[in-house]
Amino acid sequence: MASVTFEHLTKTYPNGFISVNDVNLFIEDGEFVVFHGPSGCGKSTILRMVGGLEDITSGKIYLGDELLNDILPRDRRLAMAFQNYTLYKNFNVYENMALGLRLRDFPRTVIDSRVKSAATFLGIDTVLDGKLKSLTDTQRQRVALGRAIVCHPKVLLVDEDFARQNESRRREMLSDILRINESLKITVLYVTNNYEEAVSLKKHIVFMKDGRIIQEQKPV
Ligand code: ADP
Ligand code: MG
């Protein structure tokens, strides 16, 4: 089960600023949820708490029945696609995609089959031996997504910074992520401050303002 539940989720920064204020939300297994709201409303803070990059001040986050609060970030079954994803330019595509699995000591044969199937899924199987500098921006972005999905996460977190550089790249990224959600059944939490984009997706939308959910809309 990869539903995600927030119970009274709150983040207060050390300076006293309340960035996320008593957020309650249930995200079904396999859903694609869009978090939308003006800059500064707490979207990234929510993703960072789910991902374990930020401590939870109070409240709870569950992944299925499992309380995430006390689970170390590296042991959470989720993956993050943020703008500052670190690809290693001296590694080839294969090595970049395999990194997370290597760090977790997966057997070589498992790494090999997972990297190859993810590369095929993302259409970068022909460039596995290539160095990063020989790739297009779109291919590089797919390497970053590939690295995320080889770990078989239950949830994928995508912040808006990922591929904000230009409109066509953003659309390609979005269609990759929709495919990951639909074909691989990975629950997606997607952040955008673009209203048109948020509504055009026709997915579960969470509208936020000043750290709170002000409205929720679900597809009929
Ligand atoms: P969004 O992603 O919706 O633009 P963020 O989650 O990044 O918003 O930030 C929410 C609010 O929390 C902002 O007003 C931001 O200035 C504030 N904030 C973020 N990090 C810190 C911090 N370390 N200390 C104090 N306030 C912070
Ligand atoms: Mg943000």
Side-chain angles (χ1 to χ4, degrees):
M1 266 280 282
S3 59
V4 179
T5 312
F6 300 154
E7 282 181 5
H8 302 292
L9 185 62
T10 299
K11 175 69 188 185
T12 309
Y13 282 108
N15 66 0
F17 184 80
I18 303 170
S19 166
V20 175
N21 195 347
D22 194 25
V23 165
N24 296 288
L25 183 68
F26 177 68
I27 298 165
E28 277 178 51
D29 186 18
E31 255 191 321
F32 188 112
V33 181
V34 181
F35 289 85
H36 170 71
S39 178
C41 72
K43 307 180 296 294
S44 296
T45 307
I46 287 184
L47 254 57
R48 293 168 59 81
M49 285 193 283
V50 178
L53 303 175
E54 199 81 76
D55 286 339
I56 296 164
T57 306
S58 63
K60 291 172 179 166
I61 302 177
Y62 290 93
L63 183 58
D65 301 332
E66 191 178 53
L67 183 63
L68 268 196
N69 298 52
D70 303 328
I71 299 175
L72 290 173
R74 61 159 280 171
D75 296 328
R76 299 181 185 188
R77 293 289 307 276
L78 39 86
M80 291 175 245
F82 294 163
Q83 184 183 33
N84 51 354
Y85 56 85
T86 324
L87 294 175
Y88 293 93
K89 63 176 190 294
N90 296 323
F91 287 1
N92 66 24
V93 169
Y94 185 103
E95 291 160 341
N96 268 287
M97 285 177 66
L99 200 67
L101 296 173
R102 289 239 166 92
L103 292 173
R104 289 173 176 82
D105 293 324
F106 276 81
R108 191 176 290 272
T109 49
V110 174
I111 296 177
D112 200 59
S113 78
R114 288 203 192 179
V115 168
K116 284 178 178 156
S117 77
T120 302
F121 181 80
L122 291 163
I124 49 174
D125 48 317
T126 57
V127 295
L128 278 173
D129 296 330
K131 289 276 193 225
L132 286 185
K133 63 173 184 288
S134 65
L135 304 184
T136 64
D137 286 342
T138 298
Q139 286 172 324
R140 258 184 233 132
Q141 195 169 276
R142 289 188 170 141
V143 177
L145 285 175
R147 178 194 283 170
I149 64 176
V150 292
C151 293
H152 292 181
K154 294 180 175 175
V155 178
L156 177 63
L157 308 172
V158 188
D159 207 341
E160 58 195 330
D161 300 344
F162 191 64
R164 123 164 109 191
Q165 293 82 350
N166 76 58
E167 204 44 45
S168 75
R169 231 183 109 189
R170 190 172 174 84
R171 266 198 298 273
E172 283 166 339
M173 179 267 310
L174 195 48
S175 83
D176 284 340
I177 292 169
L178 286 165
R179 234 160 39 84
I180 287 171
N181 172 248
E182 281 155 24
S183 306
L184 308 181
K185 312 289 179 213
I186 295 174
T187 306
V188 173
L189 276 58
Y190 182 81
V191 160
T192 181
N193 68 6
N194 181 328
Y195 178 79
E196 297 301 321
E197 181 179 87
V199 295
S200 69
L201 287 166
K202 299 190 165 47
K203 301 287 186 185
H204 181 174
I205 313 177
V206 173
F207 294 92
M208 290 185 62
K209 194 177 177 223
D210 299 334
R212 294 179 184 272
I213 294 178
I214 52 168
Q215 197 194 331
E216 236 188 299
Q217 194 172 301
K218 293 190 183 180
V220 279

